[in-house]
Amino acid sequence: RFEGGWIPWFTDNRLYIIGWVRPAGRDLVWGLELELSTLLSRLIPDFSLNFPEGHGREAIYVLKDGTGRILHQSAGDVLDPDRVPDLSVSLSPQLPHWQVAVYFTGGGAGHATGRGFLIISGLLVALVLAALLIGGFLLFRESERNRRDARRKTTFVANVSHELKTPLTSIRMYAELLMEGRAASEEKRKNYLRVIVDESRRLARLVNNLLDFSRLEQGRKKYRLERFCLSDFLGEFIDAHRMPIEKEGLSLSLRLPEESAHILFDRDVLEQVLLNLVDNAVKYAAGGGELALVLQRATLAWQLDVMDRGPGIPAGDRPRIFEKFYRGNDSLTADHPGSGLGLSIARRLMRDMGGDLEYEARAGGGSCFKIVISDPEKPEKGLE
């Protein structure tokens, strides 16, 4: 898996383009810089070979940039840049002050030479125009990408601020009620404490997502492998989170295979991925009334399906739900602020561990997220 792109800019009458590519999960970056004026000069053939005897050999063809510097000449000794050419064609307005010029070294300017010069100059103008159009398109595309990223990051900061503020407000309010002795009964006091614990967990998940996002972006995320029983882990997870999930109106179920499922994995990573998926189900699919976890054997791995009966994800959003900062544009996400990082981080964590996270629409309505859990024989890079 690779990521890459093009970064173009125009300076000092020159158009530069840098192409870069980086393997996913590695700090190594490969790059290629193109300076289009040099590239154009390399594309100019030795014009003197293209003309009849007695004409082409007596002419030297030159490409000059906006400062009058000779970028390329077809043959002969180095010319004086200040010498006035015998014939010239301007490349304006595509490249202001650039020109293609011809200098005769003897015998005069034959008709065939002049006609050939005009033809070749016209072809070169077309080549320059094509290069500028390509460069302009790359500049426009890069500008649009930067604008979209800036807008996403602004929305991300606003959403994260809201998500941090909401649980903090609840924690403070119920803590003050307890401190002032306003819990009239033991049952009410326990309810207040339960809200504080639930909101603290929610806050911890958000902070963990932000920390993991930072570590993953910087390549500093470390994993701790341990061998444990996946069936027991899922049973403990269900017991720990059943009450807050069912409180939101979802019935929680777990289906396990008969065979024992022992894996070598990072327990904290698996719990975080599950919490992100369960939190999304509580946010967007509570109306469906069902949340099911199904573990089954897959090829050289275990597959854990997290399924709900909510409205599902619109077909137009499905290819992008694992992009960082991306949130769907429908009214469902508008009612539930979020950072747009949960699914992106979850997939990145699973792939770093040799597994994967996939989505498909559930038959009969709803969503199905497939957690593919590998059991590597030896740790990969970054594992401890």
Side-chain angles (χ1 to χ4, degrees):
R1 305 180 184 96
F2 295 87
E3 57 181 353
W6 294 93
I7 305 174
W9 75 94
F10 193 85
T11 181
D12 295 332
N13 283 323
R14 296 183 182 183
L15 181 61
Y16 295 84
I17 299 177
I18 288 183
W20 63 275
V21 62
R22 179 176 64 184
R26 298 183 61 186
D27 296 330
L28 182 64
V29 177
W30 289 293
L32 172 67
E33 181 182 80
L34 298 177
E35 200 268 286
L36 286 193
S37 63
T38 302
L39 180 62
L40 287 173
S41 70
R42 298 288 176 84
L43 293 175
I44 299 175
D46 186 349
F47 296 137
S48 63
L49 299 179
N50 296 327
F51 292 95
E53 294 285 340
H55 294 288
R57 292 181 179 176
E58 299 176 351
I60 299 175
Y61 298 88
V62 171
L63 173 65
K64 290 186 175 183
D65 66 10
T67 64
R69 184 168 61 94
I70 295 176
L71 298 177
H72 177 82
Q73 70 179 60
S74 60
D77 297 331
V78 178
L79 294 171
D80 181 359
D82 296 328
R83 176 181 168 183
V84 178
D86 295 290
L87 291 172
S88 66
V89 173
S90 173
L91 299 183
S92 298
Q94 288 78 26
L95 286 177
H97 309 300
W98 283 43
Q99 62 177 334
V100 179
V102 62
Y103 297 85
F104 295 110
T105 59
H111 178 68
T113 301
R115 184 173 64 250
F117 170 72
L118 292 177
I119 293 174
I120 292 176
S121 298
L123 292 175
L124 184 58
V125 170
L127 179 62
V128 171
L129 179 59
L132 288 176
L133 288 174
I134 294 172
F137 169 74
L138 291 174
L139 284 168
F140 174 77
R141 189 177 67 174
E142 189 70 19
S143 174
E144 284 295 300
R145 181 187 301 170
N146 291 337
R147 187 171 61 85
R148 287 195 303 269
D149 287 346
R151 185 168 60 245
R152 284 187 191 177
K153 289 176 182 178
T154 300
T155 304
F156 164 73
V157 171
N159 289 338
V160 167
S161 299
H162 178 82
E163 284 215 56
L164 287 171
K165 183 178 179 181
T166 301
L168 285 173
T169 300
S170 298
I171 291 170
R172 178 179 177 180
M173 180 181 70
Y174 284 102
E176 288 178 349
L177 290 175
L178 289 171
M179 183 179 66
E180 295 170 2
R182 295 191 183 184
S185 64
E186 182 65 18
E187 181 180 358
K188 184 171 289 188
R189 190 179 72 86
K190 288 182 178 180
N191 286 335
Y192 289 175
L193 290 173
R194 186 177 298 113
V195 171
I196 292 174
V197 171
D198 291 344
E199 292 300 306
S200 298
R201 287 174 176 168
R202 176 183 170 189
L203 188 60
R205 285 198 298 272
L206 177 60
V207 172
N208 285 336
N209 276 343
L210 294 175
L211 291 175
D212 275 337
F213 173 70
S214 175
R215 295 188 188 108
L216 288 169
E217 288 294 294
Q218 298 176 32
R220 296 189 296 108
K221 176 66 177 176
K222 300 296 182 182
Y223 302 93
R224 299 184 182 277
L225 294 177
E226 58 180 300
R227 186 166 290 279
F228 59 93
C229 178
L230 182 55
S231 300
D232 292 344
F233 170 86
L234 292 174
E236 294 169 2
F237 179 88
I238 292 293
D239 292 340
H241 298 90
R242 182 183 298 277
M243 184 178 295
I245 292 174
E246 292 185 343
K247 182 181 176 182
E248 298 295 332
L250 287 168
S251 64
L252 186 60
S253 64
L254 172 64
R255 189 164 76 241
L256 300 172
E258 294 183 359
E259 62 178 305
S260 178
H262 285 84
I263 60 173
L264 182 64
F265 213 77
D266 187 313
R267 183 188 291 264
D268 293 336
V269 164
L270 186 55
E271 182 175 13
Q272 183 176 352
V273 171
L274 276 172
L275 284 173
N276 277 330
L277 296 179
V278 168
D279 187 53
N280 282 346
V282 170
K283 278 184 180 180
Y284 307 118
E290 175 189 341
L291 180 60
L293 276 65
V294 178
L295 179 65
Q296 56 188 321
R297 170 58 85 176
T299 304
L300 301 178
W302 290 96
Q303 179 176 303
L304 176 61
D305 294 342
V306 181
M307 302 180 290
D308 62 59
R309 286 296 183 188
I313 297 175
D317 289 329
R318 292 171 193 169
R320 303 185 61 190
I321 59 174
F322 294 106
E323 293 181 13
K324 58 186 178 184
F325 306 127
Y326 182 78
R327 304 186 75 239
N329 297 317
D330 61 4
S331 58
L332 186 64
T333 55
D335 294 335
H336 300 279
S339 64
L341 288 178
L343 290 178
S344 172
I345 291 173
R347 170 176 271 190
R348 180 80 174 271
L349 291 172
M350 291 305 303
R351 287 184 171 180
D352 279 2
M353 292 291 297
D356 207 348
L357 176 62
E358 303 168 351
Y359 171 84
E360 68 176 25
R362 187 180 182 187
S367 297
C368 176
F369 285 92
K370 299 179 179 294
I371 303 174
V372 180
I373 306 169
S374 65
D375 188 5
E377 292 295 327
K378 58 182 179 179
E380 302 288 342
K381 179 183 177 182
L383 304 181
E384 294 183 351

